[in-house]
Amino acid sequence: MREGRPFDPYGEHRDDPYEFLAGIGDDEPVFYAPLLDAWCVSRREELLAVLKDDKSYSARDHNPRPKVKLPDDVARMFKTWRGDGGLGVGSLDPPAHARVREVLNIGFTPAKVRAFEPTMRKIAAELVERVAADAEFDLIEAFAVPYALEVMCARLGVPDDYLDRCRLWSEQRIELMMLQRDTDPELLREWAQGLVDFGAFARELARDRLAHPQDDLISELLHDGRAGNTLTADEVAVQIPTLIFAGHMTCAEALGTIVYHQLRSPGGWAEVADGTVDTRDLVEEGLRFDAPLAGMYRTATRDVVVGDVHLAEGSRLLLLYGTAGRDSRVHACPAAFSPGSGSSSHLAFGHGIHFCLGASFARAELEVAVQAIAARMPGLTMAPGQSHRHKPVFPLRALTELCVRQ
């Protein structure tokens, strides 16, 4: 094993992991990070090779692990809150993955996304009108998070009175999944109980839609599969928390980051408002430049070679999607934020069999939000006196706040 590199995305490199990773560059595109106990893969070529090879790499353990040992009862709840053996689609390997993925895909076809866009626009317009009442506000807390959560839950068919609880349950999952230091056991139990409640809610909602279908994604998964290919209520219940969690948190993070980088650019927000910067170009460049999901883990199922590094079966790899977006062999000016410069080749949505099934939905959602903000608040600027920091939730990339003025 190589000596390793002191990569610390929870501490020293939390706000800007890219500077550290760029310093390694092409000399060491695969390196061991002792603090993560994982082999980091940062170059696009090696990333694609791993993502295309689902026989040699398992996605079952793709999430970050707590760094400290959880109490036994908390660990048990954290392992079983979805139901015994229940795994989100992102954790499934072939052949189980293909069947679940095929059914989930029916909810995110281009036709389904287009049909849902008026709902996205209505939610965005109503919310931006509310936040525009204040001359200064935190764009992430006041708009990005509630917008993304309401859009995702509306598509699923989650009742409005559960929105706040879905957000809390998602945050409790993050706290447990990314635990970095010893924490009060009672607080850990509170978080774990929240996840148990999340799982119970999902099962109740799935059973209700099985008996009483409505015009929503959960009902489609239960009733509308091609040639009778649907999921059972228990199978749908397992996927509901994943769709809520991944569907709203990454979108909210991306929206905050996209607006942040454009506000910092020489042309500022005025270039979005007057159409100089195309909305779609802005979204794609934001996803390339600072992906909301900086990476994802894989586990080698056999001895493998990644780049020129030989790794043993069981080795844990961290695939740095965000860094691949700054690969100098793909992008002429990788460290410059430049909408319209051919950004769409990024890996922000992954690649291969686990390519984000909601990618087209997320793109539409982000474009609608940017358009709503630009139309209602064309003079948006950054509020002064901020030191922009990121939450210690790597591999998610989440600003703590983004205070703006209009």
Side-chain angles (χ1 to χ4, degrees):
M1 181 179 291
R2 297 185 177 184
E3 180 180 347
R5 295 278 189 167
F7 181 43
D8 182 10
Y10 292 99
E12 183 181 356
H13 308 123
R14 183 174 73 187
D15 293 317
D16 185 8
Y18 302 113
E19 182 179 0
F20 173 85
L21 295 168
I24 297 172
D26 286 344
D27 293 337
E28 202 172 350
V30 181
F31 67 90
Y32 182 68
L35 289 170
L36 302 175
D37 191 21
W39 288 87
C40 297
V41 184
S42 62
R43 196 162 60 186
R44 182 183 177 88
E45 178 182 345
E46 286 79 9
L47 274 165
L48 290 175
V50 173
L51 290 167
K52 290 175 181 177
D53 187 359
D54 51 83
K55 292 185 174 62
S56 300
Y57 304 94
S58 171
R60 186 178 181 89
D61 193 19
H62 77 274
N63 285 317
R65 299 168 176 168
K67 195 171 182 178
V68 298
K69 187 178 186 302
L70 299 174
D72 289 345
D73 57 337
V74 173
R76 185 172 57 255
M77 287 190 284
F78 191 34
K79 184 177 180 181
T80 62
W81 64 276
R82 292 178 184 271
D84 290 339
L87 290 173
V89 65
S91 299
L92 292 174
D93 291 323
H97 171 267
R99 175 177 167 270
V100 174
R101 170 80 183 219
E102 182 180 357
V103 179
L104 291 175
N105 279 339
I106 69 174
F108 298 100
T109 63
K112 293 284 188 182
V113 174
R114 285 194 300 272
F116 194 73
E117 275 193 34
T119 301
M120 292 182 186
R121 295 191 183 281
K122 180 175 183 294
I123 293 170
E126 291 177 352
L127 187 55
V128 81
E129 197 61 38
R130 289 202 298 272
V131 301
D134 296 321
E136 185 172 314
F137 57 92
D138 178 356
L139 183 82
I140 294 171
E141 181 66 23
F143 183 84
V145 173
Y147 165 73
L149 180 63
E150 189 172 348
V151 165
M152 192 68 248
C153 287
R155 179 70 186 99
L156 283 166
V158 173
D160 288 347
D161 55 359
Y162 277 89
L163 291 179
D164 289 342
R165 273 174 280 187
C166 285
R167 177 178 178 179
L168 175 62
W169 291 330
S170 296
E171 291 170 348
Q172 289 171 330
R173 184 185 177 199
I174 284 182
E175 294 288 357
L176 283 172
M177 195 164 55
M178 302 179 183
L179 192 66
Q180 295 294 299
R181 58 181 62 87
D182 290 333
T183 303
D184 180 357
E186 288 307 311
L187 184 57
L188 296 178
R189 292 185 178 95
E190 178 183 328
W191 294 342
Q193 183 58 53
L195 292 190
V196 172
D197 295 341
F198 201 1
F201 162 74
R203 288 188 289 275
E204 181 182 352
L205 186 58
R207 286 194 294 266
D208 177 77
R209 293 299 188 272
L210 182 63
H212 309 288
Q214 298 183 19
D215 182 17
D216 57 41
L217 177 55
I218 295 174
S219 301
E220 292 165 15
L221 300 177
L222 291 164
H223 299 279
D224 295 351
R226 297 184 185 90
N229 185 15
T230 56
L231 300 178
T232 68
D234 286 343
E235 288 172 329
V236 169
V238 168
Q239 306 307 324
I240 289 172
T242 292
L243 292 167
I244 293 173
F245 175 85
H248 93 270
M249 298 204 81
T250 53
C251 181
E253 290 154 8
L255 181 56
T257 299
I258 288 166
V259 175
Y260 167 67
H261 287 300
Q262 182 59 36
L263 287 173
R264 295 174 70 232
S265 71
W269 194 249
E271 289 192 333
V272 182
D274 68 15
T276 302
V277 170
D278 179 77
T279 302
R280 180 164 299 181
D281 289 341
L282 176 62
V283 167
E284 295 299 334
E285 177 66 351
L287 293 170
R288 179 207 63 90
F289 186 75
D290 200 353
L293 182 61
M296 193 77 81
Y297 289 92
R298 291 290 187 270
T299 305
T301 60
R302 60 181 77 168
D303 292 353
V304 295
V305 178
V306 185
D308 62 352
V309 179
H310 292 255
L311 301 178
E313 177 183 348
S315 295
R316 189 160 162 85
L317 292 80
L318 174 58
L319 309 181
L320 292 166
Y321 301 155
T323 307
R326 300 194 182 197
D327 190 329
S328 60
R329 299 189 303 176
V330 180
H331 302 281
C333 299
F337 183 75
S338 181
S341 57
S343 324
S344 59
S345 61
H346 60 73
L347 296 180
F349 294 115
H351 188 81
I353 66 170
H354 285 287
F355 180 79
C356 176
L357 63 92
S360 60
F361 187 88
R363 283 181 160 114
E365 187 176 359
L366 289 168
E367 288 179 34
V368 164
V370 169
Q371 290 163 5
I373 296 168
R376 183 61 179 82
M377 294 179 280
L380 204 67
T381 59
M382 208 109 67
Q386 298 182 73
S387 56
H388 293 100
R389 303 297 310 276
H390 287 75
K391 297 177 182 179
V393 291
F394 188 87
L396 296 174
R397 291 280 295 158
L399 286 164
T400 56
E401 63 179 3
L402 178 59
C403 292
V404 295
R405 286 180 174 176
Q406 52 170 321

